Structure formats: structure tokens, C-alpha cells
Amino acid sequence: MIVKLETAGLVCPFPLVEAKEAMAKLNKGDGIEIEFDCTQATEAIPNWAAEEGYEVTNFEQVGNAKWTITVVK
């Protein structure tokens, strides 16, 4: 199961904060797809995923200043 998390418009660190809260509710093998427009999160979210041992299965820029990343628990 992949949960979509729309955080566009939120300033950092809130995309990461919301991602952590959403991930805490999921089971192993589930994930979150985060859409965000905060440039700091382009480093913060992948770094957090790596620190927690989560897998990043997709990370792409989808607009001028918008990205999507999928992180699996």
C-alpha cells in the first residue's frame, strides 16, 4: 500500500515532519508518496529514509520547483 502525502506549500521542515508521522502508522512493506515544493526536502527526505533504512523507490522533479518521492518502510 502506498499512501499519497501532499505537502506542497508547506515550508521545511514540515514535509519531513509529516512524512515521519505518516510512516510511523504504516506496516513494513508499505510506503508513502510525498509531493513537495521545499528545496531543502530534496536532501532531508532521502537522508531521513537512508538513516531509517527505508527504500526510496522513486524520486523525480515533476515541476519547476516541485518533486515527488516514494519511500517504502
Side-chain angles (χ1 to χ4, degrees):
M1 173 177 77
I2 301 293
V3 175
K4 290 192 180 248
L5 189 62
E6 176 60 57
T7 65
L10 298 180
V11 295
C12 289
F14 293 106
L16 178 57
V17 170
E18 296 218 359
K20 287 180 179 181
E21 289 175 1
M23 190 64 92
K25 299 174 185 173
L26 299 180
N27 296 316
K28 187 167 176 63
D30 293 339
I32 51 177
E33 180 182 315
I34 311 156
E35 289 193 12
F36 61 95
D37 57 3
C38 171
T39 56
Q40 290 174 329
T42 60
E43 290 185 18
I45 293 174
N47 288 344
W48 159 73
E51 288 169 8
E52 294 296 327
Y54 301 148
E55 180 183 4
V56 174
T57 59
N58 182 51
F59 186 19
E60 62 182 306
Q61 189 165 353
V62 294
N64 199 18
K66 191 172 186 179
W67 296 266
T68 183
I69 186 169
T70 303
V71 181
V72 177
K73 191 171 192 176

